[in-house]
Amino acid sequence: MTLPLTTAMAAAVIAVLQVVLMLAVGLKRQASGVSLGDGGDQELLRRMRRHGNLIENAPMFLILLMLLEIIGGTPSIVLIFAGLFVLARLSHAISLSSEGAPLALRAIGAMGTILSLLGTAGMLIWQLSGIG
C-alpha cells in the first residue's frame, strides 16, 4: 500500500489556509460585534464565504486525492491535482479578500476547484475500471 504523502502535504497546507480564513472571520466578528450571521456587514460576509467555500470543497477533494494516491495513481498526476486545488483555493480566497479584488481570480479559483475535483474523480474511475 502506498502512503498518501502528497495528500498529507496538501491536507496540511489546506488546514493552515483554513485556520487563516477562520481567524479572519473571528477577528472581523469581534471588531463588528456580530456573533451570528453577517449582520449586514459585507466585509464579514466576504470573509465567511472565503472560509465556507474552502470547507465546502476541501473534504471531498482530499478524500478523492487520498484514494487516488492509495490505489496507485500516477504520482505526478496526484501532485498536479493537489497543486491545482491549493492554488485554486488561494486564488478564490484572494479574490474575496476585498471588494475591489479582480473577479478573474474568483473564476480561476472556481474552475481550478472544479477541474481538480472532476480530474481526481475521473482518474479514480479510470483506475478502478481496469483501463488504467
Side-chain angles (χ1 to χ4, degrees):
M1 177 169 130
T2 303
L3 292 175
L5 299 178
T6 301
T7 303
M9 181 58 78
V13 171
I14 291 166
V16 170
L17 179 58
Q18 177 185 340
V19 169
V20 168
L21 297 178
M22 180 179 64
L23 288 173
V25 172
L27 291 171
K28 181 62 178 169
R29 284 190 180 288
Q30 185 177 24
S32 63
V34 177
S35 64
L36 187 62
D38 62 30
D41 185 321
Q42 290 301 305
E43 174 63 23
L44 178 55
L45 178 60
R46 265 195 308 281
R47 290 182 186 200
M48 290 168 59
R49 287 312 310 143
R50 284 188 325 193
H51 178 253
N53 199 274
L54 175 68
I55 297 307
E56 292 163 4
N57 289 287
M60 180 56 70
F61 173 74
L62 289 171
I63 290 167
L64 291 169
L65 189 70
M66 179 183 63
L67 291 171
L68 181 60
E69 193 168 10
I70 287 172
I71 67 166
T74 307
S76 59
I77 296 292
V78 171
L79 186 59
I80 287 167
F81 284 131
L84 176 61
F85 185 84
V86 168
L87 290 174
R89 298 323 309 156
L90 285 170
S91 177
H92 187 270
I94 291 167
S95 76
L96 290 179
S97 64
S98 69
E99 206 169 308
L103 287 177
L105 289 176
R106 189 171 181 189
I108 291 168
M111 288 307 300
T113 299
I114 290 167
L115 289 173
S116 56
L117 283 165
L118 288 177
T120 52
M123 288 300 297
L124 268 172
I125 292 167
W126 188 64
Q127 289 280 129
L128 294 170
S129 70
I131 298 170

